Amino acid sequence: MNNTGQMILGCVLVAALALNGCGADSSGSSGASEPAGSSSSLAEAQNGGQRTGLGILTDATAQGRTGKVHTAAVVLDREGRLEKVVLDELEVPVTVKDADTLTLPEDHRTKRQKGEEYPLAEVSSIGQGWTRQADAFGQYLTGKTAGEVRSLATDGEGKSTDPDLLTGCTIAVDRYRDAVLLACENAEPLEPSPSDAVAAGLQR
């Protein structure tokens, strides 16, 4: 597999993991309205107005030549409040030997996939690994609207300034917050299963 293929594979893994965590599919926001009785309208009725969205942000740092992919998958209720938030991140360090040699790591697992193998718990001030801290942040956002998420204050390192959140999450959350906001913008109605669609059609 070439270097471009490796990077694409890593991004796909992040997106797939986040979607599996939510148990729903999202293809992003099309911005097009649909008539009543369409599949989107049916989906909203079937799922109580729930919508799901996916947000993916990429960052590249010159120092250490490391790329990061932040992913957020969300489920919103009828009022636009977050019902479920699943976060993940992929770090990709790049080694450059010369103009013709660029090497990516063989391990394409995300932080969530690495689980306890990701070395954070032993150096964390609260003794918690990345997955537990990311889940604590997702739980903290649950029940909030996009506007409330946007107002989340962070310090110069991107960490939250809320003492309640800091008891369970001391990692930088600014880019996860931004990924959640993007996911909210991309949110679309959950698609009903084929059996649900047939049943709804029979009831009309």
Side-chain angles (χ1 to χ4, degrees):
M1 180 181 294
N2 60 28
N3 292 327
T4 301
Q6 289 178 326
M7 180 64 80
I8 293 174
L9 173 60
C11 294
V12 169
L13 285 173
V14 176
L17 179 64
L19 287 173
N20 287 337
C22 274
D25 180 43
S26 172
S27 57
S29 175
S30 65
S33 60
E34 298 191 34
S38 67
S39 59
S40 293
S41 298
L42 177 60
E44 268 194 284
Q46 290 282 319
N47 297 287
Q50 287 180 317
R51 293 177 295 134
T52 182
L54 178 66
I56 299 176
L57 298 177
T58 60
D59 296 297
T61 60
Q63 184 177 8
R65 297 188 179 88
T66 299
K68 295 182 179 181
V69 182
H70 298 84
T71 304
V74 305
V75 175
L76 299 168
D77 65 14
R78 180 186 295 275
E79 298 178 349
R81 294 188 176 277
L82 289 161
E83 285 191 347
K84 179 73 175 179
V85 179
V86 178
L87 303 169
D88 207 347
E89 181 181 343
L90 174 68
E91 288 184 320
V92 184
V94 178
T95 302
V96 180
K97 293 183 179 180
D98 52 53
D100 299 319
T101 307
L102 185 149
T103 305
L104 293 173
E106 295 183 359
D107 188 351
H108 294 96
R109 291 180 300 165
T110 67
K111 290 183 178 180
R112 185 172 291 277
Q113 289 173 320
K114 290 179 181 178
E116 297 301 321
E117 293 181 38
Y118 185 75
L120 177 63
E122 56 266 30
V123 298
S124 169
S125 61
I126 58 175
Q128 298 295 333
W130 183 90
T131 300
R132 286 182 178 272
Q133 294 199 41
D135 288 346
F137 183 52
Q139 185 60 40
Y140 174 82
L141 297 180
T142 300
K144 290 179 170 32
T145 64
E148 291 170 329
V149 174
R150 186 174 291 106
S151 65
L152 175 66
T154 56
D155 62 17
E157 297 180 340
K159 299 180 179 181
S160 172
T161 58
D162 186 329
D164 291 333
L165 176 56
L166 289 173
T167 61
C169 177
T170 59
I171 59 176
V173 296
D174 54 343
R175 295 302 280 165
Y176 301 124
R177 173 199 60 200
D178 296 343
V180 168
L181 289 172
L182 182 59
C184 291
E185 292 177 7
N186 291 335
E188 291 187 342
L190 287 168
E191 292 296 332
S193 66
S195 59
D196 289 337
V198 171
L202 293 174
Q203 293 173 3
R204 290 168 55 184

